[in-house]
């Protein structure tokens, strides 16, 4: 898969309360949740982002609550994928289980500025910054997780078994 | 090469003879938990996947504790959806209304989770049950759906960090202070994907309520689970509650750890985590003069009877400062009744406290205790992220019940020693 978009760069330890504040958890409707994506980290994010844009995080992206509403909100907002230095573990599971593509690359996050455009090539495991010849390597995804993605998430994976 | 308690419990729930850290496994689940926020998505996924009947109606717990008593029409709809599912599926451990308690206080109290169990919950603080010597970890709603369908789930076997804690705790220092100190030391991702195993002479004497507080916050260091080897204290806690068999596991002497961290608990003072990360920890004497608007005593971290006793000891014959809203939340109906019996509720009411029904509402900025712009709260809860308890420009300081009670009286963050 190829993901191309402008990056929205956030810092370390972006928690799920910032991704989707608890005050909106009285619904699980993806369209409703999408309206408040990243609201407590950047209140203008939803208004300014375009479909296909990419969220960039530092260390421990998605820490805190287990709410699957967080990856649901990101995906429904039209974000194509998330690249971070590292992910908190429940967010990591949730993303693979429900089908939000996420990638780890410390070097890319360090090298890139907010607003630049990148191309993520998940099958080749590389990320390129637009206007630059340098490519960055994505941390390899375990084979089981690749299978999850190929099957279309956890529920489809277990139905297939 | 030996195994850790975490590896042993996980192995016992597979068909494998031996597993090691890093391995991906499929394991049987003993108890799977969901609440009014996370279960609706799980139920939806369960139905979408063609689910007709849950794998075992005795092994699922559905606890409507987050936006309850129902905050608004939307939250009422969510509770209704879970209730209808629970009744249709004849879920045994379904809690709503007068029998509901905060899930992570309720499940151990009712003997629903037991030593040696493999527990998953669509709530990040599911790691609380590690205090009993269970493997317990937070997962997402889709995970919960998969377990409800199959009774199994995928796990990556975590490496373990061993904490060896020694020394006699000073007055007013509790399990909450120990875990805040540890998170302050290793950071909010200091145990990312790993198991935190708590051992040492201090732990051997630590009451169950304190162990539950510590295991509860393992997630705040990024951990997959926190765990204590069961002992006489565990046996005492469990024997009057268990209605089924359970098993004690412990780590081998030659088990492999990714790190071993020694902590002298004897020198630790009451701790306060400053905004906006649980790792932003200072000892109380370095807190400075921080005026507060609200003090919250409760939550899955510190809403147990032992916590309320400490708070009442400090609040007896005293009053919350007129500028402070003091909110006390007994975590379960049984704790509430016991607090009434012991006269603690009267102490709190005489101190001008608001007594809340058992609910997670205030802790996650849901309802019943929201902060306005610029307000500050000291809370015995587990998270102080931006906007956690309300406005993005409000602040949460995490501390023990003793510090929260003393702070309520003095109107600023304070140690009970200052009273």
């Amino acid at each position: 898969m190829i993901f191309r978009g402008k990056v929205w760069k956030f810092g370390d330890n972006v928690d799920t309360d910032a991704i989707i504040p608890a005050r909106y958890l009285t619904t699980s409707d993806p369209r409703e949740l999408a309206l408040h994506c990243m609201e407590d980290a950047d209140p203008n994010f939803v208004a300014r982002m375009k479909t296909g844009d990419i969220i960039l995080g530092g260390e421990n992206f998605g820490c805190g609550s287990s709410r699957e509403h967080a990856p649901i909100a990101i995906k429904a907002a039209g974000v194509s994928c998330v690249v971070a230095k590292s992910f908190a573990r429940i967010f990591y599971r949730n993303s693979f289980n429900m089908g939000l593509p996420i990638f780890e690359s410390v070097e890319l996050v360090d090298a890139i500025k907010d607003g630049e455009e990148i191309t993520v090539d998940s099958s080749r495991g590389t990320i390129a910054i637009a206007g630059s010849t340098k490519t960055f390597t994505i941390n390899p995804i375990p084979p089981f997780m690749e299978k999850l993605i190929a099957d279309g998430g956890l529920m489809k994976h277990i139905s297939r078994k | 090469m030996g195994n850790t308690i975490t590896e042993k419990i996980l192995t016992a729930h597979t068909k494998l003879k031996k597993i090691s850290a890093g391995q991906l496994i499929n394991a049987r689940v003993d108890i799977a938990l969901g609440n009014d926020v996370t279960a609706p998505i799980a139920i939806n996924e369960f139905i979408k996947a063609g689910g007709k009947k849950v794998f075992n109606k005795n092994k699922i717990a559905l606890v409507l504790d987050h936006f309850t008593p129902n905050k608004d029409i939307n939250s009422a709809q969510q509770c209704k959806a879970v209730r209808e599912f629970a009744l249709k599926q004849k879920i045994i451990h379904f809690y709503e209304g007068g029998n509901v308690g905060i899930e992570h206080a309720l499940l151990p109290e009712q003997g629903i989770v037991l030593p040696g169990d493999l527990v998953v919950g669509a709530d990040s603080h599911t790691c609380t049950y590690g205090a009993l010597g269970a493997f317990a970890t937070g997962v997402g709603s889709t995970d919960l759906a998969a377990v409800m369908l199959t009774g199994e789930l995928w796990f990556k076997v975590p490496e373990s960090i061993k904490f060896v804690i020694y020394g006699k705790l000073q007055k007013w220092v509790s399990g909450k202070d120990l875990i805040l100190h540890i998170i302050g030391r290793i950071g909010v991702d200091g145990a990312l994907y790993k198991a935190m195993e708590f051992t040492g002479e201090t732990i051997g004497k630590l009451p169950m309520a304190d162990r539950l507080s510590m295991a509860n916050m393992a997630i705040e260091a990024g951990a997959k689970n926190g765990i204590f080897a069961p002992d006489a204290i565990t046996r005492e806690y469990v024997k009057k509650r268990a209605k089924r068999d359970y098993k004690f596991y412990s780590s081998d002497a030659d088990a492999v750890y990714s790190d071993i961290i020694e902590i002298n608990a004897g020198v630790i003072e009451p701790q306060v985590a400053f905004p906006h990360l649980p790792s932003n920890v200072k000892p109380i004497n370095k807190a400075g003069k921080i005026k507060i608007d609200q003090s919250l005593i409760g939550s899955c971290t510190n809403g147990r009877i032992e916590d309320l006793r400490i708070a009442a000891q400090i609040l007896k014959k005293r009053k919350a400062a007129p500028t402070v809203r003091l909110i006390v939340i007994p975590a379960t109906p049984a704790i509430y009744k016991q607090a009434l019996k012991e006269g603690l509720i009267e102490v709190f009411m005489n101190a001008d406290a608001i007594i809340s029904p058992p609910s997670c509402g205030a802790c996650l900025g849901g309802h019943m205790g929201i902060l306005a712009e610029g307000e500050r709260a000291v809370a015995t809860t587990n998270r102080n992220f931006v906007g956690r308890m309300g406005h993005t420009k409000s602040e949460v300081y995490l501390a023990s019940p003793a510090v929260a009670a003393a702070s309520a009286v003095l109107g600023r963050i304070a140690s009970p020693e200052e009273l």
Side-chain angles (χ1 to χ4, degrees):
Chain A
M1 288 275 285
I2 307 269
F3 307 93
R4 187 175 293 125
K6 190 179 118 170
V7 306
W8 294 80
K9 193 170 176 178
F10 295 87
D12 291 339
N13 305 312
V14 173
D15 59 81
T16 55
D17 280 277
I19 299 171
I20 182 75
R23 58 187 176 273
Y24 302 120
L25 300 184
T26 54
T27 178
S28 51
D29 179 354
R31 287 164 304 179
E32 279 282 317
L33 295 170
L35 299 176
H36 307 289
C37 180
M38 306 304 285
E39 188 169 297
D40 283 1
D42 176 359
N44 299 316
F45 175 75
V46 173
R48 291 171 57 205
M49 68 147 305
K50 289 197 176 61
T51 301
D53 282 359
I54 292 168
I55 287 178
L56 225 66
E59 303 282 1
N60 202 25
F61 186 90
C63 62
S65 146
S66 70
R67 61 190 71 158
E68 203 160 307
H69 311 65
I72 291 173
I74 292 174
K75 197 176 179 193
V79 172
S80 61
C81 65
V82 182
V83 184
K85 289 188 183 177
S86 64
F87 290 93
R89 59 161 285 277
I90 306 178
F91 185 90
Y92 183 87
R93 284 188 82 92
N94 282 344
S95 298
F96 281 95
N97 283 345
M98 57 69 68
L100 172 72
I102 59 169
F103 306 100
E104 290 178 336
S105 173
V106 173
E107 292 74 22
L108 172 89
V109 175
D110 280 335
I112 195 166
K113 287 195 288 291
D114 187 41
E116 288 192 271
E117 194 182 293
I118 59 171
T119 304
V120 181
D121 185 334
S122 64
S123 44
R124 291 170 65 185
T126 58
I127 304 179
I129 303 177
S132 155
T133 50
K134 193 161 187 259
T135 58
F136 299 85
T137 315
I138 299 169
N139 289 358
I141 297 168
F144 169 74
M145 312 301 281
E146 277 182 359
K147 187 102 188 28
L148 270 187
I149 297 169
D151 288 348
L154 179 63
M155 295 313 282
K156 287 191 179 134
H157 173 74
I158 59 173
S159 313
R160 207 169 265 248
K161 275 208 298 193
Chain B
M1 208 97 81
N3 285 104
T4 64
I5 177 170
T6 294
E7 290 162 350
K8 286 185 185 180
I9 297 172
L10 285 172
T11 308
H13 288 80
T14 67
K15 291 181 189 127
L16 305 166
K17 284 221 169 59
K18 191 168 169 66
I19 59 172
S20 50
Q23 196 174 337
L24 274 159
I25 57 164
N26 237 1
R28 276 184 298 107
V29 171
D30 295 308
I31 293 287
L33 162 75
N35 58 49
D36 49 313
V37 168
T38 59
I41 297 178
I43 291 166
N44 202 21
E45 288 295 322
F46 177 86
I47 294 166
K48 254 173 41 193
K52 296 272 183 289
K53 210 170 152 204
V54 296
F55 84 103
N56 187 331
K57 64 183 168 59
N58 303 308
K59 295 190 172 188
I60 293 163
L62 295 172
V63 183
L64 309 187
D65 60 356
H66 272 57
F67 287 104
T68 54
N70 296 346
K71 176 198 175 201
D72 52 20
I73 295 170
N74 277 347
S75 54
Q77 292 293 132
Q78 296 207 121
C79 289
K80 186 181 173 202
V82 182
R83 182 187 318 121
E84 286 173 354
F85 179 81
L87 294 177
K88 189 176 167 203
Q89 297 287 338
K90 302 189 169 62
I91 302 292
I92 300 296
H93 307 300
F94 172 62
Y95 292 88
E96 189 192 17
N99 71 4
V100 86
I102 295 175
E103 50 198 356
H104 308 308
L106 187 73
L107 266 53
E109 173 197 280
Q110 296 297 316
I112 295 167
V113 290
L114 293 169
D117 279 357
L118 194 165
V119 186
V120 298
D123 188 280
S124 61
H125 294 110
T126 301
C127 52
T128 309
Y129 320 133
L132 302 171
F135 173 86
T137 191
V139 296
S141 293
T142 301
D143 284 311
L144 175 60
V147 178
M148 290 199 301
L149 203 59
T150 65
E152 292 183 353
L153 195 60
W154 67 272
F155 299 93
K156 187 169 156 192
V157 181
E159 293 183 307
S160 294
I161 303 176
K162 182 175 177 175
F163 293 87
V164 184
I165 304 173
Y166 62 93
K168 189 171 179 294
L169 296 182
Q170 295 180 23
K171 198 177 179 194
W172 305 119
V173 173
S174 65
K176 178 64 165 287
D177 301 294
L178 286 180
I179 192 66
L180 285 176
H181 175 83
I182 289 170
I183 297 164
R185 197 150 146 180
I186 67 173
V188 288
D189 60 354
L192 196 58
Y193 301 108
K194 292 181 182 173
M196 295 170 84
E197 187 176 324
F198 302 106
T199 70
E201 58 170 42
T202 313
I203 297 301
K205 295 186 186 115
L206 201 65
M208 186 50 72
D210 294 77
R211 295 182 189 184
L212 289 159
S213 295
M214 289 183 73
N216 175 269
M217 289 192 73
I219 177 71
E220 308 317 333
K224 181 167 210 150
N225 64 312
I227 198 158
F228 293 72
D231 58 10
I233 290 172
T234 319
R235 198 176 299 283
E236 192 55 34
Y237 182 87
V238 168
K239 72 177 186 201
K240 49 189 183 256
R241 306 169 194 271
K243 293 167 206 84
R244 58 183 169 89
D245 291 343
Y246 52 90
K247 197 168 170 188
F248 282 15
Y249 291 89
S250 60
S251 294
D252 294 325
D254 59 346
V256 182
Y257 294 92
S258 69
D259 204 357
I260 297 174
I261 298 174
E262 293 200 8
I263 289 169
N264 180 0
V267 300
I268 295 174
E269 283 181 61
Q271 307 278 300
V272 181
F274 277 52
H276 289 285
L277 282 177
S279 58
N280 199 8
V281 171
K282 293 182 191 178
I284 187 82
N285 76 17
K286 296 221 166 70
K289 295 233 182 308
I290 294 165
K291 200 182 147 296
I292 57 160
D293 304 285
Q294 182 166 300
S295 172
L296 189 149
I297 299 169
S299 84
C300 59
T301 320
N302 281 119
R304 296 180 184 83
I305 191 69
E306 294 83 351
D307 300 311
L308 301 189
R309 284 179 191 139
I310 291 167
Q313 188 187 334
I314 292 164
L315 291 167
K316 193 163 191 177
K317 298 195 175 127
R318 294 196 173 101
K319 279 194 184 296
T323 50
V324 173
R325 305 179 298 272
L326 170 60
I327 303 173
V328 179
I329 312 174
T332 69
I335 294 168
Y336 204 145
K337 270 193 229 166
Q338 185 62 27
L340 273 169
K341 210 155 131 191
E342 294 180 20
L344 310 183
I345 299 293
E346 197 175 342
V347 169
F348 296 139
M349 294 190 79
N350 288 340
D352 290 344
I354 303 157
I355 315 297
S356 161
S359 175
C360 310
C363 167
L364 81 158
H367 67 152
M368 300 200 293
I370 306 292
L371 300 175
E373 180 173 1
E375 286 193 326
R376 288 201 194 102
V378 60
T380 65
T381 57
N382 42 45
R383 286 193 177 129
N384 56 354
F385 301 146
V386 171
R388 173 71 180 180
M389 286 179 68
H391 197 279
T392 49
K393 288 192 179 118
S394 61
E395 293 182 347
V396 180
Y397 295 75
L398 304 176
S400 68
V403 167
S407 304
V409 173
L410 292 172
R412 60 176 169 82
I413 291 181
S415 160
E417 292 297 313
E418 296 177 59
L419 289 169

